[in-house]
Amino acid sequence: MNQNYRKIFANKLFLQFFFTAYLFYNPVTSKAVKLSSQNVDMTLASNELVIINFYADWCRFSGILTPIFDEAAAKVSELYPESGKVVLGKVDCDSETSVASRFQITKYPTIKVLINGQPAKREYRGKRSVEAFVSFVQKQLEDPIQEVANLFSAADVKSRVIIGYFENKESQEYQIFRKVATNLKDDCLFYAGIGEPFRAMHPPNETIIEFRPDRASPKSEHHTFTGNSADYDSLNIWATDNCLPLVREITFENAEEITEEGLPFLLFFYHPDDLDSIKLFKEIVGTHLVQEKQRVNFLTADGVKFAHPLQHLGKRHTDLPVVVIDSFKHMYQFPEKSDYRNHEHLKTFIDDLYSGKLHREYHLGPQEISAIEIVHGNNQPAEQTMPPESTFKKLAPSKNRYTLLKEEL
């Protein structure tokens, strides 16, 4: 009896020691949620912000990031303990191949950002430290809506604006408006007028939401949302269509994400004092060239800020406006005899890019090409010239990867 008791006691002591040692070497302190095909959809649907670390155990860089990401997750959990706000999750890409494939993971580790269940336009490419992750989360969860005090507070703004007039912040319509603003805060400014000061802007207990284009856009783009303001899907679609226009302004801040879309740029370089030319260009594209959006990205660019690409073309700010196609390999200038105010000339410019005519003419001169090289009267080959190298491809994300895929080893 005593011997059996001693055996039982010894076994319990061993198990306690083993369990303590296991916890020591495998601490359960991580707040990063392990995501799988069983819980990823529910996690995305039930949280405003989800940041996912896609990793592989065999990847050295994944191993370096894991404890940093876990510590950041723990701190974020302390800052935002309420459910439905933010989750930092992780996916083992070797065991969850379907999830990795769904998010098109080609390198490890990759950090994806999802807002209200939808992928953000950019992966997380900031500093990989605890402080940087926490700061990024705080920035993402800032209130995307600026409350205005009077009717004139949101006037004369250079950016595209969506402004809503509400009875109070507790209304369902305001909460839907805030959710949409979270999705599009990088593309539009969102304002809200609350209560009595804005009574004249909307009937009692009725929400009014308006879109106001930037000053360089035609006035015809100014309009009011006519759908149900308590319907998230319809408001989100309407706001997206307005905040992501056919003709966008390229900046140093958004060039990377636009370049990632993979379409050649048709760039309209303008002088910042000449807004009328931008309005005309946008009207021409919106009226006549909508069908070309599958072939090029229509972009406007401040010719003073982007002076460097113009210098490659031998142009200065006094030559503005200048129209250029950047194919990510070369930059092609709009023919001198063409007029950007003629939509057919712009259409031909795009056609010539895809037919190869622009590239051939830079090599062999602007004439009909019937041979690989043109010969002068002295039977010497014509001097071939190369179009300027693309400038905007340098603003694209780096192709350098942290590590190879396992099957590439």
Side-chain angles (χ1 to χ4, degrees), residues 241-255:
D241 288 343
N242 285 291
C243 290
L244 299 175
L246 180 60
V247 181
R248 290 177 283 175
E249 175 81 3
I250 189 168
T251 65
F252 289 108
E253 289 74 26
N254 68 6

Side-chain angles (χ1 to χ4, degrees), residues 89-103:
K90 56 186 178 182
V91 172
D92 182 341
C93 294
D94 281 338
S95 61
E96 296 294 335
T97 56
S98 62
V99 179
S101 176
R102 169 180 166 183
F103 287 94

Side-chain angles (χ1 to χ4, degrees), residues 122-141:
R122 289 181 246 182
E123 296 174 2
Y124 176 85
R125 292 194 178 95
K127 187 176 180 181
R128 300 194 170 194
S129 68
V130 174
E131 295 75 17
F133 283 126
V134 172
S135 177
F136 178 79
V137 168
Q138 291 173 321
K139 182 71 176 174
Q140 291 297 309
L141 293 178

Side-chain angles (χ1 to χ4, degrees), residues 147-199:
E147 188 174 344
V148 293
N150 55 62
L151 296 176
F152 306 102
S153 299
D156 195 33
V157 176
K158 293 182 180 180
S159 303
R160 303 170 79 83
V161 168
I162 293 182
I163 182 166
Y165 303 100
F166 304 90
E167 284 291 330
N168 55 68
K169 288 186 176 182
E170 289 69 39
S171 65
Q172 181 184 5
E173 288 85 355
Y174 182 86
Q175 298 306 317
I176 295 294
F177 185 70
R178 186 187 180 283
K179 188 175 180 181
V180 171
T182 301
N183 297 342
L184 297 167
K185 61 185 177 183
D186 293 332
D187 304 294
C188 270
L189 294 179
F190 284 80
Y191 292 93
I194 309 294
E196 192 62 37
F198 301 91
R199 193 72 65 200

Side-chain angles (χ1 to χ4, degrees), residues 357-375:
K357 183 179 179 182
L358 293 181
H359 191 73
R360 289 197 306 269
E361 289 191 348
Y362 265 110
H363 278 286
L364 305 172
Q367 46 193 294
E368 292 298 322
I369 306 300
S370 57
I372 295 178
E373 57 184 24
I374 298 175
V375 180

Side-chain angles (χ1 to χ4, degrees), residues 55-68 109:
Y55 70 95
D57 283 332
W58 52 265
C59 167
R60 180 169 68 89
F61 299 100
S62 292
I64 294 171
L65 178 63
T66 294
I68 297 171

